[in-house]
């Protein structure tokens, strides 16, 4: 994703899903913690994956529907991806990752307002996720809403305080803390 001449990348969805399956330390019966919503990579430019156009019974699981939605989006089938993503969120409205994907799809379709709305839902579910705040700031900036953009970018940088600069925020292909700080600082000047 290119913003203000800066290229941002997102770890492939299937790698984030694997991280999502780890049990939490709070309780052996608690739900796995969802990974942070990442800065989106361009939809339709990833490696092509075969996608069965008809949902199967196994896709009743919201996370499986999100996997299929990502695969559809990666092949440029945005309308189908949007439908699968919405279906997953209808089954479980507590999936920040689902709202992040919904935002990515909306943005790829040119719907910046829809993308902001979806990321707003993700931010509500995970208010301490710096990447969600950062993405919201970038989207608001693109929409010309600089006051809201600055609020989100400041929130993102505040959430990064105390984290080491070299820490990756979203896996091996993700942004480092230093890079997110640098981009946010540049836009806040």
């Amino acid at each position: 994703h290119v913003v203000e001449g800066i290229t941002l990348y997102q770890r492939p969805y299937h790698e984030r899903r694997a991280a999502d399956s780890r049990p939490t330390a709070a309780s052996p019966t608690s739900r796995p913690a969802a990974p942070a919503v990442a800065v989106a990579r361009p939809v339709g430019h990833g490696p092509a994956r075969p996608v069965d156009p008809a949902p199967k019974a196994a896709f009743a699981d919201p996370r499986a529907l999100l996997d299929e939605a990502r695969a559809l989006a990666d092949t440029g089938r945005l309308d189908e991806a949007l439908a699968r993503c919405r279906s997953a969120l209808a089954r479980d409205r507590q999936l920040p990752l689902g709202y992040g994907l919904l935002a990515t799809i909306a943005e790829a379709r040119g719907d910046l307002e829809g993308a902001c709305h979806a990321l707003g839902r993700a931010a509500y579910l995970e208010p301490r996720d710096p990447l969600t705040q950062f993405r919201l700031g970038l989207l608001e900036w693109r929409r010309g809403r600089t006051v809201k953009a600055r609020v989100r970018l400041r929130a993102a940088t505040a959430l990064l305080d105390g984290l080491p600069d070299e820490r990756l925020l979203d896996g091996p292909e993700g942004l480092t803390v230093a890079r997110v700080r640098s981009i946010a600082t540049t836009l806040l000047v």
Side-chain angles (χ1 to χ4, degrees):
H1 184 73
V2 178
V3 177
E4 301 282 323
I6 300 167
T7 303
L8 307 171
Y9 297 94
Q10 178 180 8
R11 175 171 47 158
Y13 182 77
H14 66 278
E15 291 177 18
R16 289 192 313 256
R17 185 166 183 272
D20 194 275
S21 64
R22 290 188 303 248
T24 60
S27 163
T29 59
S30 66
R31 269 179 66 179
V37 176
V39 176
R41 69 179 165 93
V43 176
H45 293 87
R49 292 180 220 145
V51 178
D52 182 358
K56 305 228 186 284
F59 289 123
D61 173 42
R63 293 181 192 278
L65 281 168
L66 289 178
D67 284 343
E68 186 173 348
R70 168 53 76 189
L72 286 164
D74 284 347
T75 60
R77 296 162 61 185
L78 298 179
D79 291 336
E80 293 172 79
L82 182 63
R84 298 284 162 75
C85 193
R86 286 181 175 161
S87 180
L89 290 169
R91 286 172 171 77
D92 185 352
R93 298 208 176 272
Q94 303 298 313
L95 291 172
L97 189 59
Y99 291 108
L101 178 57
L102 187 63
T104 300
I105 295 167
E107 187 176 3
R109 297 175 82 220
D111 180 10
L112 297 184
E113 183 176 343
C116 281
H117 178 75
L119 282 176
R121 299 285 303 260
Y124 175 78
L125 293 170
E126 285 189 355
R128 301 206 39 84
D129 177 26
L131 284 173
T132 298
Q133 298 295 334
F134 180 68
R135 282 184 71 191
L136 270 167
L138 294 178
L139 282 170
E140 293 292 8
W141 195 273
R142 286 181 59 201
R143 293 176 70 197
R145 302 171 84 180
T146 56
V147 172
K148 285 187 175 190
R150 289 175 187 279
V151 167
R152 293 297 184 171
L153 292 171
R154 282 189 194 106
T157 57
L159 290 168
L160 296 173
D161 280 348
L163 297 177
D165 285 346
E166 65 279 353
R167 178 175 173 191
L168 290 173
L169 294 175
D170 188 35
E173 297 176 27
L175 295 169
T176 63
V177 168
R179 187 68 178 139
V180 170
R181 272 193 199 120
S182 173
I183 294 167
T185 302
T186 300
L187 294 174
L188 287 169
V189 173

